[in-house]
Amino acid sequence: TDVLIWNGDDPEVAALLARNLSAADGPRQLRFSTRSQAAENAGVVVGDELRLRLPEGEESYPIAELQIVGRHNLANALAAFLLMRASGLATYEQVRRAARSFVALPHRMQLVAEVRGIRYYDDSKGTNVDAVVAGLDGFPRPLALIAGGRDKGGSYEPLRAVLEQGATRGLVLIGEAAPLIATAFSGVKFPVRQAATLKTTVTETTSLCQ
């Protein structure tokens, strides 16, 4: 009678389940995806909604009601919604109410202010390129990014790729890694600036969003 919720976008998870669980004898499996609307996915992203396909019918949850952002957080939401609904632990109304009130953990794509229509997010736990890319992938609105700090020796190409794919207003750099990142972003179509202090960095970034 157990329910197993799993991420269909993760090939390692799919391989693990294929090796270790029998579809006939194991728990009821419900797969979700933020990238595919295939019929076998019980949780999907459709336009501006998260959609659950349950035996009782489809349920929709407006993404605009969520206070969390980024594709990874949409995946987290689908996993949580499916688990609560498929197991019968919460009603549709309870899940939607909880979704509206849930806020990001401190320093993890955390909304910290909104001034004159500009939202400010703190993602200071994103201390490497992969973590920053995860936070920016699927970001729902135009953005300007503050980046820099200490260089970890990795490539900045994944960061460049995700910013070039999105509606990026600009990039403002600070710290030891600023010159290296500026070089890696040579030739992009959005402004790349460097600043000496955090205060001027925030001022520069704000100006890019106005």
Side-chain angles (χ1 to χ4, degrees):
T1 60
D2 289 345
V3 177
L4 172 64
I5 312 297
W6 64 280
N7 187 350
D9 297 328
D10 190 330
E12 292 188 25
V13 169
L16 184 67
L17 294 179
R19 289 196 306 268
N20 292 283
L21 277 181
S22 164
D25 301 328
R28 181 162 65 104
Q29 296 187 30
L30 296 176
R31 188 175 82 175
F32 65 89
S33 172
T34 64
R35 299 184 183 276
S36 168
Q37 297 179 19
E40 59 266 28
N41 291 321
V44 294
V45 179
V46 180
D48 56 0
E49 294 180 336
L50 299 181
R51 194 166 295 176
L52 307 189
R53 297 162 174 164
L54 301 170
E56 313 84 74
E58 286 197 356
E59 297 179 353
S60 296
Y61 299 81
I63 293 174
E65 291 185 353
L66 305 179
Q67 298 189 54
I68 52 176
V69 295
R71 189 181 301 278
H72 66 306
N73 276 324
L74 295 183
N76 289 338
L78 282 173
F81 295 179
L82 274 174
L83 181 61
M84 291 296 99
R85 296 295 292 125
S87 62
L89 291 172
T91 66
Y92 169 78
E93 291 76 15
Q94 288 172 326
V95 171
R96 192 164 174 183
R97 185 166 60 248
R100 285 195 295 263
S101 64
F102 183 83
V103 296
L105 294 172
H107 316 301
R108 293 171 173 85
M109 297 302 289
Q110 177 191 14
L111 179 62
V112 292
E114 182 170 353
V115 181
R116 299 186 182 92
I118 299 174
R119 295 182 178 183
Y120 295 81
Y121 290 87
D122 171 10
D123 192 38
S124 54
K125 287 291 186 181
T127 57
N128 59 69
V129 171
D130 287 343
V132 176
V133 167
L136 296 179
D137 184 23
F139 198 83
R141 56 185 62 88
L143 66 90
L145 176 68
I146 296 173
R150 179 164 294 173
D151 179 60
K152 302 294 178 63
S155 170
Y156 293 103
E157 283 305 310
L159 180 60
R160 175 170 175 153
V162 76
L163 288 176
E164 288 188 313
Q165 290 167 8
T168 302
R169 296 282 183 83
L171 176 64
V172 182
L173 305 172
I174 187 173
E176 171 190 302
L180 294 172
I181 302 175
T183 299
F185 276 75
S186 176
V188 295
K189 295 181 179 180
F190 49 81
V192 178
R193 303 174 183 173
Q194 297 187 49
T197 68
L198 187 58
K199 183 176 180 179
T200 56
T201 301
V202 173
T203 302
E204 287 277 352
T205 308
T206 300
S207 70
L208 291 169
C209 295
Q210 292 173 331

